Amino acid sequence: MKRLIHGFKLLTTALLMSGIGNFVAGATRVGELVCEYHTDPIGIDVEKPRLSWKIFSDRENVTQSAFQIRVAELPSNLKKNALVWNSGKVNSGQSVNIEYNGPKPKSMQRLYWQVRVWDHRGKATPWSEPAFWETGILHSEQWIASWITMPNEKKAEESKPCHYLRREFAIAKKVRSARVYVSALGLYELYLNGIKVGDELFTPGWTSYKNRIQYQTYDVTEMVRSKVNVLGAILGDGWYRGNIGFNKQHNYYGDQLALIVQLCITYTDGTVETIVTDDSWKATTGPILSSDIYNGETYDARLEMPGWASPGFNDSLWSRVEIKDHSRNVLVAPQSDPVRAVMEINPVKIIITPKGETVFDMGQNMVGWVRLKVKGNAGDVVSLKFAEVLDRDGNFYTENLREAKVTDTYVLKGEGEEVYEPRFTFHGFRFVKIEGLSDTPSLENITGVVVHSDMQPTGHFTCSNPLINQLQQNIQWGQRGNFLDVPTDCPQRNERLGWTGDAQVFSPTAAFNFNVAPFYTKWMKDLAADQLPNGKVPHVIPDVLRGEGGSTAWADAALIVPWNTYLAYGDKRILEVQYSSMKAWVDYMKNRAGDNYLWIGDNHFGDWLAFPIKRSGSQESTTEKDLIATAYYAYSTQLLANTARVIGKKEDAEEYELLSEKVKNAFVNEFVTTEGDLISQTQTAYSLALAFNLLPDKSIPQVAANLADDVRKFQHLTTGFVGTPLLCKALSDNGYEDLAFMLLMRKEYPSWLYPVTKGATTIWERWDGQKPDGTFQDPGMNSFNHYAYGAIGEWLYNYIAGIQIDPKAPGYKHFFLAPHLGGGLTYAEAVYKSMYGEIRSQWNIEDNQMNYEVKIPVNTTATVTLPSALLEDVLFNGSSLKSIVEIEAWQNEKGVSLKLGSGEYIFNYPL
Ligand code: BGC
């Protein structure tokens, strides 16, 4: 039935289409099973893991009416019905995040599961292929390993050589399976018989170390040898005791590195042997002379110890380790995606700068490091320095990195081609300055290794404007670079901290580009762990600013991030888990505000880095912080009420709904003038009032008109971190979408596209990081990779492509498809891989004809709005929409709307 329209631009979305190709014609099947968002996870400690699946069908309008899950200890038991848990047939349309409800899982237990569903006609699918999850160490007393540390290390304020630890052990029986559970104070790399275990980086990750330290679980069945084996580990300072924060802090969490390892080997006879860290391990230092996240790594290859992690190595000169007294109760299993080397980039050119520096251009501002390939003599020193930009004259520019030394130094051993890459540091850079090469530099000398949390890519947006496409690329690169286990402000200077404000404004955009549910689940637990007893939320999470916090719009990450995660994934659990933290933050504001419901007088960051408006004596120069604080107080309280309702806390829901109303009224009384204007006549103030629903209906048109007037007056945005994410939305939702498009399409400073015209490949911290004359902003605060202003990404997906969440059916169980045309765009396409499957919204305009193609996943429905359409003109899959009796379509002021079930559909109509 599908008609291909002449000239229709079909874009490749292969990346997002995986897993949909192989099904039998006419069939509906279940696939892509995940547990806690991961495929076949091992080492999890969630007591009631949640199971999700996707349904694929070549029919239209398919929904699930019931499901059945069965769980067994072996895949073969599933068929035999020798089950640990059988859900029975459950009449439910839920196919995302269903709680396992069988007997409590034991530690280190693998359970296999499969599912079948009944469609809307009551027809059952075949059972899915089995999937599994495996638990880690669920009870802290099951940790029998000790924390071990290198003895007699002198206290120092700068990075010391990394530690190497090893232990040999012999086994006598045949191995059936082997798991190793590992963690560290500091960062670790684990080796078994000379080979690195797993491909995860920056383990054990960064958490609120005093309360939670992650351990990783690896399946090492294939790595254990018969007879003699060696476990080895390298420990680096990392976040634990390296430089952290902009206050020159060292040893923030502790000054001693430590390792804990528990290797459990199950033999074919069913017996289990456990090898642990204890005082029989030996330790030394080696070639990594220093290693620091901000400063880089120094590696002397002449000090390598070949075979140190393999059997037979002579460790007689190594010292014995000491047992370190440190809690094991803090050990938790990871929930986020691990950090990995996700992609590699080759440099595009070598530049000799006016100052004579040899600089590689990677062509992309990236985060990670470079792999160096060199030849030379023993003792030759090659150094690599990293920068985001070249200055106006084309010289290497590092002033904006502040005190971070960002230098990797490699001392050659002189043995032919040598390959080096660092382990426990990362850099944010596009340019690499190399010194000390004995040969002429060549592009083969370095390869960029892009490192970030390995989140599943879920979103894709393109349109007919190449500059907007570059903006979208920059947003995605900003996310890659700043989602390195923690959502950081920036990846390059001596900061790289989990700034809460930046994270919350970017969270809706983040959830389009990648699946961030696991990432935020972890980070939110750290937020709750680091929250102060009075509810105050630290500015950065994990907190390394000694509890400094409580700023409006920053601390509200406590509410906004879980709420956005719930909306994007239908994840109720994050709301349940975070509830007390959310409530504590709202109660904190309630205490600060007192009886008049206005939050006045506290210290806040305000509309950080807003365009400076200079008009003397005018209140317009900045948005009043008290106004922002009270707006966020109302908004977060509303979210708390919503949350309470979702998780069944009725009384709280009523209480906080009422409180939110009172704060809104107080906001209006205090900040809205009798003429219907706001006390702060700024785009940020207007956007907050509109987007947060703070105004009575009668005031909305006036405030919206004032916002529009202000935009017209300036012809550009004037917003900072607080206003920017809301500005275009406030304009679009209140009848001024032409202005939203004008702001988006603007190429001069200040605008989103100005950096693009300057060659940016990531989002800048400031609207004028590089000024029109080529000079830079204040180096004390000038990152070229800060995702906050990338929050416009949400508007690209929501409005231009028109994919919108329905808060009443979160996680895209029901959603809206309503593209907004404007800005001279002639086509746009977004693909979003939801928990149910792929959503596509793709339109183009040709000869005044609108062609719109959509895809709606099985077990969801969408309300589609065709902008500026007349019902009688619309062709639906080639036939007149009006004549199709099964479809209810209605004309409204936006165009034509209709409700559709799963399938792929094409609309054509004249504009
Ligand atoms: C960070 C910001 C952060 C801000 C707080 C800066 O140093 O880089 O992104 O939100 O401080 O105002």
Side-chain angles (χ1 to χ4, degrees):
M1 240 317 225
K2 229 164 99 167
R3 202 163 65 104
L4 256 195
I5 292 125
H6 171 70
F8 194 82
K9 190 145 189 169
L10 275 176
L11 290 157
T12 155
T13 49
L15 177 74
L16 299 160
M17 304 267 296
S18 59
I20 312 181
N22 49 347
F23 64 87
V24 194
T28 296
R29 68 169 184 96
V30 189
E32 294 193 22
L33 277 58
V34 291
C35 170
E36 290 295 319
Y37 298 100
H38 300 292
T39 306
D40 297 340
I42 69 167
I44 66 170
D45 64 3
V46 178
E47 200 172 283
K48 289 190 172 185
R50 293 159 304 164
L51 310 173
S52 309
W53 53 86
K54 294 197 182 97
I55 308 167
F56 303 104
S57 179
D58 58 358
R59 294 173 184 277
E60 288 171 354
N61 296 313
V62 178
T63 53
Q64 171 189 303
S65 61
F67 68 82
Q68 183 180 12
I69 298 168
R70 58 186 185 187
V71 178
E73 279 186 310
L74 290 171
S76 53
N77 287 355
L78 288 168
K79 276 203 188 101
K80 288 188 251 162
N81 256 336
L83 301 179
V84 172
W85 183 56
N86 183 350
S87 72
K89 184 176 175 184
V90 181
N91 290 326
S92 161
Q94 195 186 346
S95 56
V96 170
N97 283 333
I98 287 90
E99 272 187 5
Y100 161 77
N101 237 330
K104 263 194 178 184
K106 297 179 219 131
S107 279
M108 306 178 232
Q109 182 188 29
R110 179 176 288 198
L111 291 173
Y112 291 85
W113 68 286
Q114 60 183 177
V115 58
R116 63 173 166 173
V117 307
W118 285 261
D119 70 10
H120 53 291
R121 302 165 307 167
K123 193 166 177 322
T125 66
W127 285 101
S128 71
E129 288 296 313
F132 66 81
W133 77 86
E134 186 181 302
T135 49
I137 297 178
L138 301 184
H139 310 285
S140 57
E141 65 276 8
Q142 291 169 326
W143 277 101
I144 52 169
S146 305
W147 290 100
I148 56 170
T149 186
M150 191 147 106
N152 307 325
E153 201 190 32
K154 281 204 203 83
K155 252 195 164 186
E157 280 309 307
E158 275 312 319
S159 175
K160 286 158 290 189
C162 286
H163 300 172
Y164 285 68
L165 296 93
R166 78 188 296 275
R167 186 207 150 157
E168 223 164 88
F169 62 95
I171 56 170
K173 295 193 253 179
K174 250 190 123 187
V175 175
R176 187 201 294 157
S177 72
R179 296 286 182 276
V180 64
Y181 307 90
V182 200
S183 189
L185 308 179
L187 297 173
Y188 76 81
E189 264 191 358
L190 184 75
Y191 289 80
L192 182 52
N193 297 322
I195 297 167
K196 179 172 152 42
V197 175
D199 57 1
E200 310 190 357
L201 303 171
F202 293 95
T203 45
W206 188 14
T207 46
S208 164
Y209 286 141
K210 289 192 183 87
N211 305 292
R212 300 170 7 94
I213 302 181
Q214 299 180 130
Y215 65 89
Q216 281 71 32
T217 301
Y218 305 97
D219 181 349
V220 288
T221 311
E222 303 300 321
M223 296 175 79
V224 180
R225 292 193 204 154
S226 53
K227 301 193 186 119
V228 189
N229 288 269
V230 170
L231 271 170
I234 310 177
L235 296 181
D237 293 353
W239 299 284
Y240 188 82
R241 74 165 192 184
N243 284 299
I244 195 74
F246 37 78
N247 299 327
K248 293 200 172 162
Q249 298 178 128
H250 206 71
N251 300 324
Y252 187 82
Y253 294 99
D255 57 15
Q256 253 187 338
L257 303 178
L259 174 73
I260 189 163
V261 177
Q262 193 154 313
L263 168 63
C264 298
I265 306 174
T266 309
Y267 296 110
T268 45
D269 64 6
T271 56
V272 176
E273 185 172 354
T274 307
I275 312 291
V276 296
T277 36
D278 56 20
D279 61 6
S280 70
W281 286 57
K282 307 273 284 298
T284 192
T285 57
I288 310 177
L289 298 181
S290 69
S291 141
D292 184 83
I293 288 182
Y294 296 159
N295 292 338
E297 199 161 288
T298 301
Y299 187 94
D300 188 341
R302 296 170 304 178
L303 303 178
E304 281 175 357
M305 304 170 287
W308 70 272
S310 301
F313 179 84
N314 179 0
D315 63 12
S316 56
L317 294 178
W318 292 34
S319 27
R320 266 192 183 273
V321 297
E322 272 171 10
I323 303 291
K324 181 172 168 62
D325 183 20
H326 194 89
S327 167
R328 288 172 295 200
N329 297 338
V330 290
L331 290 166
V332 295
Q335 291 190 275
S336 184
D337 303 290
V339 176
R340 292 199 176 95
V342 179
M343 97 178 66
E344 297 199 344
I345 294 186
N346 292 318
V348 291
K349 61 173 183 255
I350 299 174
I351 302 164
I352 305 297
T353 68
K355 281 191 184 162
E357 305 147 316
T358 302
V359 172
F360 289 81
D361 178 1
M362 305 308 294
Q364 172 64 51
N365 195 359
M366 56 165 279
V367 174
W369 53 70
V370 297
R371 184 182 310 122
L372 173 71
K373 255 193 222 163
V374 278
K375 279 189 193 149
N377 298 319
D380 285 356
V381 179
V382 174
S383 84
L384 300 161
K385 286 202 166 67
F386 300 84
E388 294 185 289
V389 285
L390 301 180
D391 70 13
R392 188 157 61 157
D393 303 323
N395 290 313
F396 196 70
Y397 179 83
T398 53
E399 256 183 89
N400 67 324
L401 308 181
R402 306 194 305 215
E403 266 111 46
K405 294 198 186 80
V406 288
T407 308
D408 291 339
T409 307
Y410 180 72
V411 184
L412 278 76
K413 56 189 165 188
E415 292 172 8
E417 185 172 271
E418 299 179 35
V419 181
Y420 160 73
E421 53 188 301
R423 291 173 167 75
F424 301 133
T425 187
F426 62 89
H427 315 293
F429 63 99
R430 171 170 168 177
F431 298 98
V432 187
K433 181 165 95 177
I434 193 160
E435 282 173 335
L437 280 186
S438 49
D439 291 339
T440 326
S442 86
L443 288 174
E444 281 71 53
N445 281 133
I446 65 168
T447 308
V449 180
V450 177
V451 170
H452 58 85
S453 287
D454 196 4
M455 308 161 286
Q456 191 199 6
T458 48
H460 155 100
F461 174 91
T462 48
C463 67
S464 55
N465 183 325
L467 295 177
I468 302 290
N469 294 343
Q470 183 62 45
L471 173 67
Q472 163 69 6
Q473 289 300 312
N474 295 0
I475 295 169
Q476 292 196 329
W477 274 101
Q479 183 163 357
R480 288 189 191 104
N482 286 298
F483 276 55
L484 202 156
D485 211 39
V486 159
T488 56
D489 56 336
C490 59
Q492 72 296 76
R493 66 188 181 211
N494 56 338
E495 192 144 3
R496 316 185 198 184
L497 305 177
W499 279 98
T500 44
D502 311 38
Q504 70 89 352
V505 298
F506 189 66
S507 57
T509 302
F512 269 115
N513 291 325
F514 291 89
N515 184 333
V516 288
F519 183 88
Y520 285 144
T521 299
K522 163 190 178 270
W523 189 63
M524 278 294 116
K525 286 193 172 172
D526 293 308
L527 185 145
D530 277 342
Q531 202 165 356
L532 279 76
N534 66 356
K536 187 194 259 193
V537 178
H539 295 322
V540 300
I541 301 293
D543 172 36
V544 289
L545 302 179
R546 301 179 195 278
E548 260 180 59
S551 173
T552 190
W554 268 250
D556 296 276
L559 279 291
I560 293 171
V561 173
W563 183 253
N564 284 335
T565 307
Y566 163 71
L567 290 182
Y569 307 99
D571 188 325
K572 278 191 195 168
R573 184 166 298 165
I574 194 168
L575 299 181
E576 285 158 358
V577 171
Q578 294 304 126
Y579 188 72
S580 50
S581 150
M582 297 164 100
K583 189 164 177 297
W585 170 243
V586 171
D587 289 345
Y588 174 87
M589 290 191 280
K590 193 170 144 198
N591 286 334
R592 299 302 303 162
D595 293 343
N596 64 2
Y597 306 105
L598 294 167
W599 188 6
I600 305 282
D602 273 355
N603 244 333
H604 304 286
F605 294 117
D607 194 19
W608 189 249
L609 298 181
F611 175 82
I613 307 165
K614 291 193 196 85
R615 264 172 301 161
S616 55
S618 159
Q619 282 192 333
E620 295 171 351
S621 55
T622 49
T623 308
E624 240 190 70
K625 290 180 181 177
D626 294 337
L627 180 151
I628 301 176
T630 306
Y632 263 95
Y633 175 24
Y635 181 62
S636 280
T637 307
Q638 179 67 60
L639 294 188
L640 184 64
N642 297 352
T643 300
R645 197 165 305 114
V646 170
I647 63 173
K649 292 185 183 292
K650 229 177 134 241
E651 277 172 27
D652 279 12
E654 280 161 21
E655 181 187 331
Y656 287 100
E657 185 71 58
L658 197 68
L659 177 59
S660 173
E661 279 311 309
K662 287 184 175 154
V663 182
K664 283 181 197 173
N665 289 337
F667 177 92
V668 173
N669 289 338
E670 183 74 9
F671 300 112
V672 181
T673 66
T674 39
E675 295 79 45
D677 206 346
L678 294 184
I679 294 279
S680 289
Q681 294 146 333
T682 64
Q683 294 173 15
T684 291
Y686 296 133
S687 301
L688 276 171
L690 292 165
F692 285 180
N693 267 326
L694 304 180
L695 302 168
D697 287 350
K698 64 173 182 2
S699 308
I700 294 173
Q702 185 59 56
V703 171
N706 294 348
L707 169 62
D709 282 347
D710 194 79
V711 171
R712 282 195 208 100
K713 182 174 69 192
F714 281 99
Q715 286 295 306
H716 63 69
L717 51 75
T718 62
T719 48
F721 278 29
V722 170
T724 301
L726 308 173
L727 176 59
C728 284
K729 179 181 155 50
L731 289 166
S732 283
D733 290 352
N734 291 285
Y736 298 100
E737 190 151 75
D738 51 331
L739 293 174
F741 272 108
M742 182 275 282
L743 293 176
L744 179 71
M745 295 297 169
R746 181 184 158 95
K747 294 199 262 308
E748 300 76 27
Y749 162 75
S751 67
W752 285 282
L753 292 186
Y754 167 69
V756 174
T757 65
K758 286 279 179 190
T761 58
T762 37
I763 301 294
W764 295 353
E765 178 175 25
R766 313 181 74 127
W767 296 120
D768 58 348
Q770 185 175 17
K771 298 182 188 167
D773 68 1
T775 58
F776 293 126
Q777 254 286 1
D778 172 8
M781 180 82 71
N782 198 19
S783 146
F784 290 92
N785 194 357
H786 236 73
Y787 56 53
Y789 288 151
I792 187 65
E794 178 191 11
W795 193 83
L796 305 181
Y797 283 104
N798 273 343
Y799 290 83
I800 297 184
I803 302 178
Q804 290 224 11
I805 291 171
D806 177 359
K808 293 200 195 85
Y812 298 89
K813 182 78 173 115
H814 170 260
F815 55 94
F816 300 101
L817 291 172
H820 291 229
L821 313 181
L825 295 177
T826 53
Y827 85 85
E829 181 203 37
V831 182
Y832 173 67
K833 194 166 183 182
S834 76
M835 290 299 287
Y836 295 92
E838 192 177 281
I839 294 170
R840 190 164 73 242
S841 174
Q842 180 181 332
W843 57 264
N844 81 336
I845 302 169
E846 220 176 83
D847 301 332
N848 279 330
Q849 160 104 349
M850 172 78 168
N851 307 306
Y852 184 38
E853 183 169 327
V854 302
K855 183 168 173 186
I856 299 164
V858 173
N859 204 25
T860 69
T861 55
T863 301
V864 181
T865 297
L866 308 170
S868 311
L870 283 177
L871 186 51
E872 45 275 21
D873 291 344
V874 178
L875 289 184
F876 175 75
N877 289 348
S879 309
S880 160
L881 175 62
K882 219 177 155 187
S883 66
I884 306 175
V885 283
E886 304 87 58
I887 295 181
E888 192 203 335
W890 62 98
Q891 186 77 51
N892 52 49
E893 84 266 9
K894 291 195 177 130
V896 170
S897 297
L898 64 160
K899 212 168 163 184
L900 287 174
S902 65
E904 292 184 57
Y905 310 98
I906 297 181
F907 302 90
N908 317 103
Y909 58 92
L911 282 174

